[in-house]
Amino acid sequence: MSVGIWVLGDQLNSAQAALAGCDPSTARVLLVESTSVLERRAYHRQKLVLVWSAMRHFAAELRELGWQVDLLETDRFSTAVAAWVAEHGITLLQVMEPADRGFRQAIDALDLPIPVQWIESNAFLWSREAFAAWAEGYKQLRLEFFYREGRRRFGVLMEGEGKAAQPLGGQWNFDADNRKAPPKGLQGPAPLWFEPDGITQAVIDKVEQLDQQRREAGLAPLPGDLEPFGWAVTRQQALAVLEHFIATRLAGFGPYQDAMVSGEPTLWHALLSPYLNLGLLHPLEVIRRLEQAGLEQQVPLAGLEGVIRQILGWREYTHGLYHWFGSDYPRLNHFHAAVPLPVWFDQLGGSGLRCLDTVFTELRRSGYAHHIQRLMVLANYGLIAGLDPQALTAWFHRMFIDGHDWVMQTNVIGMGLFADGGRLASKPYAASGNYIKRMSTYCQGCRYDVKQRHGAKACPFNSLYWDFLDRNREELRRNPRMALVMKQLEKLPDAELELIRAAAEQHRSAMVTTAA
């Protein structure tokens, strides 16, 4: 029997399950770099460079470890894989179960002449079966319940043994300590970036050539800046980013993790999600290292717990929910939102709102924006403006350096847009311009007045917010977590509410006339 192992582009770890179960001397490894992905989505240029460069570096790493490796550049997965199978006489193809459903479906659809053996993934802490066993015990699948179980299960930030173990510091969650507004002049430490080596530069050149071909074919250019490119593309570089975070950012991570500051796109954020999502880092090794270093350095527990919660809690939770909710989930549209994406989403700028345009600019430069920029600026705008949830989810997937289906469907459909009707979040995360003013520096110098709800100078986040509450008042008044704000809505005079509706409609009309 001649065994082939197909390693997908987000499985770049030598300890991944399909590789771990085989002898390098008896198996042949395949990686496929296909431009066909661009037929479905026009990805951010830097995302393409990151994935393809990381794949090429991983192929080189496997060769050094004694594996026979073929990395194929092609415009079609189907023809390339079938030809490789025939050329090398492969009789069994092993593939680690993909994180994204679409990859499994695409591989099943190849109809290869040999059997495909699916190997259970070890890329996450919770298997799909383990998550399902946990989920079956709850009517509401809330993060806090899952996170506490994860802390117990993996013994992270715990005191004591067995069932008597308690959370370090006497409480599970210190999130309330990590929401400080940015003071004047707030600056975070410089992130760790890398100069492209020869392999990465070759990929940069390839993406530039693909873009030229798109222009010649009359297609829109790929979004985002191609250079400067500074992301890690190897496991060693990703480990260096982890150590740099521990040395320069971990101690200050907590208080301002929700802050948004113009000219400070990364602040104290870890910048580890792209590497976790490609397999260059494993979540448990990151959690153990953070816990060890944080306790040794006596890092404030609120910050240490906060960053660990993002990995042990939120990341594992959203991946588990993605598979638990199933294939119908991405089609949900609870509020029947249908406004097309304005053109400035694809252009990554030009909205006229300083908050949106600042985040768009940062996203254009690197493919990155942190979690509050995503939730409370981009997704919040999509929610209150009534943007099409499927279109916005696809946009997040292709624009963000760490975007995958399993990441964006739960984060955007569920958390950001409440399009699932509350299967993930307990309330819509809708906010007016007041939140952005409190938690950012974006309102300074904006053409709109964040204190106004209506009128030519009114902040669109204000008029859209109150209009969203008004449009959905019958639905929202049944949610106990929305009771206070719905009472505030009821107090608005009818005349003012009419002006708010008009301002919101005027903004939406302008969006539609410039929609992509």
Side-chain angles (χ1 to χ4, degrees):
M1 177 179 289
S2 182
V3 176
I5 303 172
W6 185 359
V7 174
L8 304 181
D10 60 349
Q11 301 176 347
L12 308 181
N13 194 304
S14 60
Q16 64 113 299
L19 293 172
C22 283
D23 184 339
S25 65
T26 62
R28 194 175 193 97
V29 177
L30 171 68
L31 292 97
V32 183
E33 185 181 302
S34 176
T35 57
S36 62
V37 295
L38 295 175
E39 295 176 4
R40 183 182 178 196
R41 292 189 177 113
Y43 287 103
H44 194 294
R45 293 178 175 98
Q46 294 206 18
K47 182 171 186 172
L48 292 171
V49 174
L50 172 64
V51 175
W52 288 343
S53 178
M55 289 173 65
R56 294 185 186 191
H57 281 91
F58 184 62
E61 176 188 332
L62 289 181
R63 292 186 187 108
E64 291 179 0
L65 293 173
W67 292 90
Q68 297 180 84
V69 182
D70 299 301
L71 189 148
L72 306 182
E73 295 185 62
T74 181
D75 59 2
R76 282 288 177 273
F77 280 108
S78 55
T79 54
V81 175
W84 178 81
V85 165
E87 178 183 355
H88 297 288
I90 304 297
T91 56
L92 174 67
L93 184 62
Q94 295 185 332
V95 189
M96 186 171 82
E97 190 72 45
D100 281 354
R101 246 186 321 270
F103 277 112
R104 171 68 186 261
Q105 294 167 351
I107 294 172
D108 284 339
L110 292 180
D111 195 26
L112 294 171
I114 60 170
V116 176
Q117 181 182 8
W118 295 101
I119 310 299
E120 183 180 359
S121 174
N122 61 353
F124 293 85
L125 303 184
W126 289 72
S127 68
R128 296 170 200 177
E129 292 73 21
F131 186 91
W134 171 82
E136 287 170 352
Y138 291 91
K139 291 183 178 180
Q140 291 186 318
L141 304 181
R142 297 304 182 217
L143 169 65
E144 188 64 25
F145 303 141
F146 175 78
Y147 172 56
R148 293 183 183 188
E149 179 60 26
R151 290 269 295 272
R152 295 188 189 98
R153 179 174 294 214
F154 297 99
V156 177
L157 295 179
M158 300 293 290
E159 292 180 309
E161 299 293 335
K163 294 182 179 180
Q166 295 296 316
L168 194 65
Q171 64 188 71
W172 294 99
N173 188 319
F174 292 86
D175 196 38
D177 297 335
N178 295 334
R179 299 172 181 167
K180 289 186 178 181
K184 185 177 180 180
L186 182 67
Q187 289 183 301
L192 178 62
W193 300 116
F194 301 89
E195 286 294 323
D197 63 6
I199 292 177
T200 300
Q201 189 58 55
V203 177
I204 291 173
D205 294 342
K206 174 179 178 174
V207 173
E208 191 169 26
Q209 291 170 3
L210 288 171
D211 223 1
Q212 179 62 34
Q213 293 169 9
R214 289 176 63 86
R215 285 192 290 268
E216 292 171 355
L219 299 174
L222 295 171
D225 293 343
L226 183 58
E227 297 178 284
F229 179 88
W231 294 99
V233 292
T234 69
R235 172 167 168 78
Q236 289 306 311
Q237 288 181 340
L239 287 169
V241 174
L242 171 60
E243 293 304 318
H244 184 265
F245 170 67
I246 290 170
T248 67
R249 309 162 87 86
L250 178 57
F253 172 78
Y256 300 111
Q257 65 172 280
D258 286 3
M260 299 175 284
V261 178
S262 298
E264 291 287 324
T266 60
L267 289 172
W268 282 268
H269 292 276
L271 307 180
L272 295 174
S273 57
Y275 316 130
L276 286 163
N277 293 354
L278 291 182
L280 297 177
L281 299 176
H282 191 275
L284 189 58
E285 73 174 328
V286 173
I287 291 166
R288 296 294 190 214
R289 180 69 184 111
L290 291 172
E291 180 181 29
Q292 174 196 30
L295 296 178
E296 288 176 354
Q297 298 174 15
Q298 297 184 326
V299 166
L301 185 55
L304 179 60
E305 183 274 322
V307 69
I308 286 177
R309 179 162 21 95
Q310 289 187 356
I311 304 171
L312 177 61
W314 186 251
R315 184 175 186 272
E316 293 287 326
Y317 173 69
T318 53
H319 174 258
L321 288 179
Y322 169 81
H323 292 284
W324 175 256
F325 286 155
S327 58
D328 290 337
Y329 186 80
R331 293 190 286 272
L332 296 178
N333 189 353
H334 180 70
F335 291 119
H336 307 289
V339 177
L341 298 193
V343 69
W344 56 72
F345 273 78
D346 269 348
Q347 291 178 346
L348 295 177
S351 73
L353 284 77
R354 193 165 183 269
C355 54
L356 278 176
D357 286 340
T358 299
V359 178
F360 283 146
T361 297
E362 294 173 0
L363 186 56
R364 187 188 73 241
R365 289 173 177 169
S366 66
Y368 174 81
H370 68 68
H371 67 289
I372 294 299
Q373 293 172 310
R374 302 184 197 201
L375 176 64
M376 300 309 297
V377 178
L378 298 174
N380 179 29
Y381 181 82
L383 170 65
I384 61 179
L387 299 187
D388 180 325
Q390 282 67 46
L392 188 57
T393 302
W395 178 86
F396 267 90
H397 182 149
R398 64 192 181 89
M399 290 295 179
F400 277 88
I401 199 81
D402 55 2
H404 300 263
D405 272 351
W406 71 265
V407 175
M408 294 308 181
Q409 286 182 17
T410 43
N411 275 277
V412 181
I413 293 287
M415 188 68 175
L417 301 179
F418 205 74
D420 66 354
R423 295 178 69 181
L424 187 154
S426 58
K427 68 162 190 170
Y429 276 81
S432 70
N434 285 334
Y435 176 89
I436 296 173
K437 182 178 185 295
R438 183 173 72 252
M439 294 304 299
S440 81
T441 63
Y442 297 157
C443 296
Q444 300 168 17
C446 184
R447 62 189 281 191
Y448 296 106
D449 186 350
V450 72
K451 296 179 181 179
Q452 295 187 29
R453 294 172 176 164
H454 52 81
K457 300 292 287 184
C459 172
F461 272 88
N462 290 342
S463 55
L464 292 171
Y465 170 72
W466 290 104
D467 181 67
F468 167 77
L469 298 180
D470 179 48
R471 294 195 321 269
N472 300 287
R473 67 168 65 206
E474 294 305 318
E475 161 76 19
L476 297 177
R477 65 169 34 133
R478 294 194 293 268
N479 187 319
R481 293 197 64 194
M482 298 294 291
L484 180 60
V485 72
M486 296 310 292
K487 288 180 181 178
Q488 293 174 337
L489 176 68
E490 299 296 335
K491 293 178 182 179
L492 288 180
D494 289 343
E496 182 176 6
L497 195 52
E498 281 299 321
L499 292 172
I500 289 172
R501 290 174 184 144
E505 183 56 35
Q506 184 177 12
H507 183 77
R508 274 194 299 271
S509 296
M511 289 163 48
V512 171
T513 59
T514 58

